[in-house]
Amino acid sequence: MENSQIARKGPESRDMRSVERAGRLRKEIEDALKDPAEIPIIRLVDELVEYAYVMRSSDIHIDPETDRLRVRFRIDGVMQDIFSFPKEIHSEIITRIKVLSSLRTDEHQAAQDGRFRVQVGGIGDVDVRVSIAPTYYGENCVMRILADEAYGFSLDTLGFSGVNLEKVRRGIRRPYGMILVTGPTGSGKTTTLYSVLRELNTPAVSIITIEDPIEYSIEGIDQIQVHRQTNLTFAEGLRFILRQDPDIIMVGEIRDKETANIAVNAAMTGHLLVSTLHTNDAATTLPRLMDMGVESFLIASTVIVVINQRLVRQICKDCKEEKRFTDEEYARLAKLISERVLGGKRTFYEGKGCEMCEHSGYRGRIGIHEVLEITEEIRTFIMRQANADEIKQAAIRAGMISILEDGFEKALQGITTIEEVLRVSGE
């Protein structure tokens, strides 16, 4: 039996089987939709999840509209229209998902969260996280596919360049301090945290996490779920963890002043703490902590490394071809990327589009990063409460590669496209 990692990441022969399987599942779903009165709802929901999994979708969106249910998948970070279901089966589909997730089927005016596990033939159990909310046209549903291979990643497979990877490894070898991963929602921050924990997870240390939600169970690590009904917030959970004699602590997200201050104090008192923060670049993280009420001297004393990241789509290996920029295209690119970085390079790559990548030209994603290592100069800037631009310039002088430059290098190597790097970096 194929496990999930092989089924989604296997060699070309298995990729072709996935393409064939996706085609068969799509036809079965479309055939079932031809007669709304006879649609087998249980099988339809199961096949929808299986189809999303085989298509490498991270999320399924079921959105009610005036006269239909719009079904979209997020594939490699991009939303795609997949099906249009008849409105008549709206309530039955939502009810089935609620039953699977152990949610209240008689509640239609409140948001509900849950999860379930579904058996996918030839693959095994697949965990699905569910969020249902009331909208103008009725309840919608977003299902996140929690694929096993996310925990199969390691720091070596996340796309870190050699220099950046060494900075990260140097940081996590420290006995205490803070390592922060930043970026927008959906940029792979949690996967990076899990990869760090996986590398640190040995019998010689005690690792405890506080998460919302716990996405993957990791053997050898004590994981605590945030539970607001019992006042188990990130801050309260962190206070509790400190009484559990941990060596390493993972906080799913630093969201508020209270959590930030407890986290910094935990890092000051001999713990290695890893967490995430929502900022647009690495340098902004440090003033952001000051805005949350953390004293500048505490930030300078505790923060070791800040990792800022995005996820870019990778060029499909089956239809990759060379692309050379014209003078006009190069001139436009030079306005966004300095000549020092461009260096006159004009040869890049793109995906032509084929059956393997659903004619998108892309298949899979990889990270682009900027890793800010706290040096003595940067500590001095933090102490005098310098702004993000000053900190960024100091970091670049110390050898930090910007996220745009890291993406540019991956485009040169034929891993992704220039257009994709510019899209996710907001340039």
Side-chain angles (χ1 to χ4, degrees):
M1 181 183 296
E2 295 176 344
N3 61 34
S4 59
Q5 189 168 347
I6 292 173
R8 292 181 127 194
K9 294 183 174 180
E12 292 181 10
S13 60
R14 288 196 174 101
D15 283 343
M16 181 55 76
R17 288 208 297 272
S18 294
V19 169
E20 293 169 354
R21 184 174 189 172
R24 174 179 56 78
L25 285 165
R26 185 178 184 93
K27 185 176 186 308
E28 288 177 4
I29 293 171
E30 288 174 342
D31 288 345
L33 294 174
K34 290 176 181 176
D35 187 357
E38 299 295 328
I39 291 177
I41 297 298
I42 292 175
R43 197 181 81 199
L44 180 64
V45 171
D46 288 348
E47 287 183 344
L48 184 64
V49 173
E50 183 178 353
Y51 182 54
Y53 185 92
V54 174
M55 289 287 290
R56 301 173 297 104
S57 169
S58 61
D59 300 88
I60 305 169
H61 288 244
I62 302 175
D63 299 313
E65 298 184 348
T66 312
D67 56 357
R68 66 166 184 159
L69 279 182
R70 185 185 185 192
V71 178
R72 293 181 294 168
F73 290 174
R74 186 178 295 279
I75 300 173
D76 292 336
V78 178
M79 295 287 284
Q80 298 183 24
D81 278 306
I82 302 296
F83 294 113
S84 178
F85 286 1
K87 186 76 170 181
E88 302 96 286
I89 64 171
H90 176 199
S91 63
E92 292 178 83
I93 285 181
I94 298 298
T95 298
R96 173 58 184 165
I97 294 169
K98 285 181 176 179
V99 169
L100 287 170
S101 311
S102 300
L103 301 177
R104 289 186 56 181
T105 57
D106 60 341
E107 176 58 74
H108 305 288
Q109 299 303 318
Q112 297 189 71
D113 293 322
R115 64 194 297 161
F116 65 88
R117 179 170 289 183
V118 64
Q119 178 77 27
V120 174
I123 294 169
D125 291 333
V126 173
D127 285 323
V128 181
R129 197 171 76 217
V130 174
S131 177
I132 294 174
T135 70
Y136 186 79
Y137 291 112
E139 291 175 289
N140 78 344
C141 178
V142 177
M143 293 184 282
R144 169 151 290 187
I145 312 294
L146 301 174
D148 292 340
E149 69 264 20
Y151 182 56
F153 284 125
S154 70
L155 288 175
D156 293 304
T157 61
L158 297 182
F160 285 104
S161 67
V163 172
N164 284 340
L165 184 58
E166 178 54 35
K167 289 180 182 179
V168 174
R169 288 217 160 100
R170 194 156 53 229
I172 68 176
R173 285 196 294 264
R174 296 275 291 273
Y176 59 88
M178 286 182 70
I179 294 171
L180 298 172
V181 184
T182 72
T185 300
S187 59
K189 299 187 297 295
T190 301
T191 299
T192 299
L193 284 188
Y194 277 124
S195 299
V196 167
L197 292 185
R198 187 178 188 189
E199 191 144 318
L200 295 171
N201 188 15
T202 69
V205 296
S206 169
I207 303 177
I208 306 179
T209 74
I210 176 79
E211 305 174 58
D212 184 26
I214 296 172
E215 295 202 5
Y216 305 99
S217 173
I218 308 175
E219 189 175 345
I221 294 178
D222 293 322
Q223 296 172 267
I224 300 171
Q225 168 72 51
V226 165
H227 197 269
R228 290 176 183 79
Q229 287 80 357
T230 60
N231 198 35
L232 183 56
T233 60
F234 278 118
E236 286 302 315
L238 192 46
R239 285 195 184 95
F240 172 76
I241 285 172
L242 291 173
R243 298 193 290 271
Q244 292 275 306
D245 187 33
D247 297 296
I248 300 161
I249 301 168
M250 191 265 266
V251 180
E253 184 182 349
I254 295 177
R255 297 178 179 173
D256 52 56
K257 178 179 179 179
E258 187 178 16
T259 306
N261 277 283
I262 299 170
V264 167
N265 279 287
M268 279 286 290
T269 55
H271 305 90
L272 183 65
L273 187 138
V274 297
S275 188
T276 69
L277 201 65
H278 283 278
T279 59
N280 289 327
D281 61 24
T284 306
T285 304
L286 305 168
R288 172 70 180 132
L289 287 172
M290 295 180 209
D291 292 342
M292 297 174 88
V294 182
E295 295 287 350
S296 57
F297 76 91
L298 290 174
I299 299 170
S301 302
T302 56
V303 178
I304 304 168
V305 169
V306 180
I307 304 164
N308 182 251
Q309 66 181 56
R310 303 290 189 276
L311 291 176
V312 293
R313 291 179 291 172
Q314 297 184 83
I315 299 172
C316 174
K317 293 181 176 64
D318 291 283
C319 60
K320 182 167 76 172
E321 60 183 20
E322 197 173 277
K323 172 185 179 181
R324 187 168 175 81
F325 281 0
T326 63
D327 291 344
E328 185 180 345
E329 290 171 330
Y330 185 85
R332 286 202 301 268
L333 188 60
K335 293 178 181 178
L336 300 171
I337 302 174
S338 70
E339 184 60 37
R340 176 184 63 82
V341 176
L342 275 176
K345 299 180 181 72
R346 293 170 179 255
T347 302
F348 296 89
Y349 300 87
E350 64 182 356
K352 185 179 180 181
C354 65
E355 195 175 29
M356 293 294 185
C357 61
E358 296 289 321
H359 302 282
S360 69
Y362 298 98
R363 185 172 176 84
R365 289 191 292 173
I366 196 168
I368 57 174
H369 309 87
E370 60 184 17
V371 179
L372 191 162
E373 191 173 31
I374 306 301
T375 63
E376 286 304 320
E377 183 185 10
I378 292 172
R379 286 194 183 91
T380 303
F381 276 103
I382 296 170
M383 291 291 286
R384 67 178 180 82
Q385 300 185 8
N387 62 38
D389 285 339
E390 292 176 289
I391 293 171
K392 184 172 184 176
Q393 290 309 311
I396 289 171
R397 286 195 297 274
M400 184 181 82
I401 302 166
S402 74
I403 202 163
L404 189 60
E405 289 181 41
D406 191 50
F408 179 77
E409 284 300 321
K410 288 182 171 64
L412 275 177
Q413 295 166 27
I415 296 171
T416 188
T417 63
I418 283 288
E419 291 81 4
E420 183 69 2
V421 172
L422 296 177
R423 180 184 72 85
V424 301
S425 63
E427 296 292 341

